[in-house]
DNA sequence: CTTACGGCCTGGGTGC
DNA sequence: TGCACCCAGGCCGTAA
């Protein structure tokens, strides 16, 4: 499942292969994950790839104008859950579920493969990038401690939901959210507004450390993730919480638990990441004393 | 406005 | 052997 470290790894590989290359032709198979396939077929051939960069979980290819006077374009690729963007020799056989083939002027092909097609691809003038990237939040590796803490402390939602919300932080997914919360010893159901300055500092460093270590390991390969050369990552070997239900916590040996938070499986250590106290309501004390009142129970 | 939740998209893996 | 079911991330609609 490509998140920030996986996308960063792909982008670094593409940076070594693509800038300066001209796109000669476009071939498409299934197109339901492309905003407007006809635009790709019409406008992509003839463009030169000037730069490759990452914005959150988006891969952005900055393209030069196809002809004099034409607009500069940007090609956005989101890998979704199972997307792969890999450079092949043109004669390499197409792998199953490969739906986009971009022929390059060096005899190679940039191909997009996506089993589930939960990814997204779109091409538009560079000046209109904001329609895709505009609502995205802070880059967790570029944000300052102050920006990071302010963004989370201002919200009452579960911290798990906030870390996953691309409008708050761009690039975090389920794996690195759980790994970061485990490192910072914060339960996924804590509320952003209830985190202490100390916890926010710990979380800031946990997020940056986890992401940087994962990038160094070239990402986590759980099911389908590979980089731009088709190679798997290794960070899945270093997971401490994610997908470890029932296995012992690396710190305290307590079995890792799995609960659903923000609609997502959330793995955590019930000892290191203690369950938040129930939120107090104005009447809670009185209600608890008046035994004839059944207190409003919150879902567990 | 914010937050929570359920449904939808797809198809590989799992378990019966 | 076949087949129903679960689940993943992002997005959207709805309700409180």
């Amino acid at each position: 499942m490509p998140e920030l470290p996986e996308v960063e790894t792909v982008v670094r590989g593409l940076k070594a292969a693509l800038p300066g290359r001209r796109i000669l032709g476009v071939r498409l198979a299934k197109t339901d994950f492309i905003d407007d396939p006809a635009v790709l077929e019409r406008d992509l051939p003839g463009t030169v790839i000037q730069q490759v960069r990452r914005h959150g979980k988006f891969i952005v290819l900055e393209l030069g104008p196809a002809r004099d006077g034409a607009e500069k374009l940007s090609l956005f690729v989101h890998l979704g859950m199972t997307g792969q963007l890999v450079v092949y020799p043109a004669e390499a056989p197409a792998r199953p579920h490969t739906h986009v083939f971009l022929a390059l002027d060096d005899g190679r092909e940039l191909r997009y493969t996506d089993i589930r097609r939960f990814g997204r691809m779109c091409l538009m003038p560079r000046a209109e990038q904001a329609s895709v990237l505009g609502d995205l939040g802070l880059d967790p590796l570029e944000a300052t401690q102050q920006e990071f803490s302010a963004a989370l402390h201002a919200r009452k939602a579960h911290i798990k939901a906030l870390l996953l919300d691309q409008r708050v932080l761009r690039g975090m997914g389920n794996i690195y959210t759980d790994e970061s919360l485990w490192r910072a010893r914060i339960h996924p159901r804590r509320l952003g507004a209830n985190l202490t300055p100390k916890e926010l500092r710990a979380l800031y460093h946990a997020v940056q450390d986890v992401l940087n270590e994962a990038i160094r390991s070239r990402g986590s390969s759980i099911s389908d993730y590979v980089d731009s050369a088709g190679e798997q990552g290794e960070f899945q070997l270093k997971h401490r919480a994610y997908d470890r239900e029932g296995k012992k916590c690396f710190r305290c040996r307590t079995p890792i638990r799995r609960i659903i938070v923000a609609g997502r499986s959330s793995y955590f250590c019930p000892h290191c990441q203690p369950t938040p106290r129930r939120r107090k309501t104005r009447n809670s004390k009185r209600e608890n004393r008046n035994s004839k009142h059944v207190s409003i129970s919150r879902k567990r």
Side-chain angles (χ1 to χ4, degrees), chain A residues 135-171:
Chain A
D135 286 337
L136 296 178
L138 301 167
D139 186 304
L141 292 180
E142 292 173 3
T144 65
Q145 167 79 77
Q146 288 71 26
E147 291 170 331
F148 180 92
S149 295
L152 298 177
H153 197 63
R155 303 283 301 270
K156 286 184 176 173
H158 295 145
I159 186 62
K160 168 91 182 191
L162 295 175
L163 293 175
L164 285 174
D165 188 338
Q166 303 299 298
R167 295 166 300 184
V168 178
L169 288 179
R170 56 181 199 251

Side-chain angles (χ1 to χ4, degrees), chain A residues 57-71:
Chain A
K57 298 183 199 174
F58 281 93
I59 299 164
V60 187
L61 303 194
E62 302 290 8
L63 307 168
R67 329 169 277 289
D68 288 345
E71 273 182 303

Side-chain angles (χ1 to χ4, degrees), chain A residues 61-286:
Chain A
L61 303 194
E62 302 290 8
L63 307 168
R67 329 169 277 289
D68 288 345
E71 273 182 303
K72 289 185 177 180
L73 302 174
S74 300
L75 178 66
F76 298 92
V77 181
H78 195 295
L79 300 176
M81 289 180 54
T82 54
Q84 303 175 342
L85 201 52
V86 178
V87 179
Y88 294 95
E91 63 273 17
R95 299 189 37 242
H97 307 289
T98 301
H99 298 299
V100 178
F101 304 77
L102 302 183
L104 305 174
D105 63 358
D106 62 355
R108 296 198 286 177
E109 249 178 6
L110 178 62
R111 297 180 184 169
Y112 181 72
T113 304
D114 192 344
I115 296 172
R116 303 281 154 80
R117 302 197 307 285
F118 283 11
R120 180 183 173 193
M121 195 174 293
C122 60
L123 179 67
M124 65 180 61
R126 203 177 289 192
E128 294 173 21
Q129 288 197 2
S131 67
V132 178
L133 306 181
D135 286 337
L136 296 178
L138 301 167
D139 186 304
L141 292 180
E142 292 173 3
T144 65
Q145 167 79 77
Q146 288 71 26
E147 291 170 331
F148 180 92
S149 295
L152 298 177
H153 197 63
R155 303 283 301 270
K156 286 184 176 173
H158 295 145
I159 186 62
K160 168 91 182 191
L162 295 175
L163 293 175
L164 285 174
D165 188 338
Q166 303 299 298
R167 295 166 300 184
V168 178
L169 288 179
R170 56 181 199 251
M172 301 284 288
N174 210 32
I175 294 173
Y176 298 104
T177 293
D178 282 2
E179 292 299 309
S180 298
L181 290 171
W182 181 85
R183 288 195 187 205
R185 306 181 187 230
I186 295 170
H187 190 284
R189 274 210 264 254
R190 295 284 302 282
L191 304 185
N194 288 353
L195 296 181
T196 66
K198 188 178 171 186
E199 287 173 326
L200 287 165
R201 276 197 300 278
L203 184 55
Y204 175 73
H205 292 294
V207 165
Q208 295 208 340
D209 290 350
V210 164
L211 294 177
N212 281 319
E213 288 172 29
I215 290 169
R216 247 177 274 138
S217 297
R218 305 180 59 78
S220 302
S221 289
I222 298 294
S223 53
D224 300 283
Y225 165 71
V226 294
D227 67 15
S228 65
E231 301 290 325
Q232 298 200 335
E234 293 183 342
F235 195 70
Q236 68 279 5
L237 304 174
K238 299 179 185 170
H239 291 174
R240 293 293 181 256
Y242 180 79
D243 205 20
R244 297 196 67 246
E245 183 178 19
K247 296 180 180 168
K248 290 176 178 174
C249 173
F250 274 80
R251 280 190 299 250
C252 73
R253 322 303 292 167
T254 303
I256 296 291
R257 288 235 295 139
R258 182 176 80 100
I259 59 175
I260 302 298
V261 185
R264 293 282 174 260
S265 283
S266 300
Y267 301 89
F268 70 103
C269 171
H271 179 257
C272 298
Q273 299 164 263
T275 305
R277 294 181 53 191
R278 275 212 224 152
R279 215 157 21 133
K280 281 185 194 166
T281 61
R282 202 171 344 138
N283 300 322
S284 62
K285 272 190 178 174
R286 201 165 5 141

Side-chain angles (χ1 to χ4, degrees), chain A residues 12-26:
Chain A
R12 289 181 183 188
L14 295 178
K15 276 182 174 176
L18 296 183
R21 298 276 62 77
R22 184 179 298 273
I23 296 172
L24 300 181
V26 176

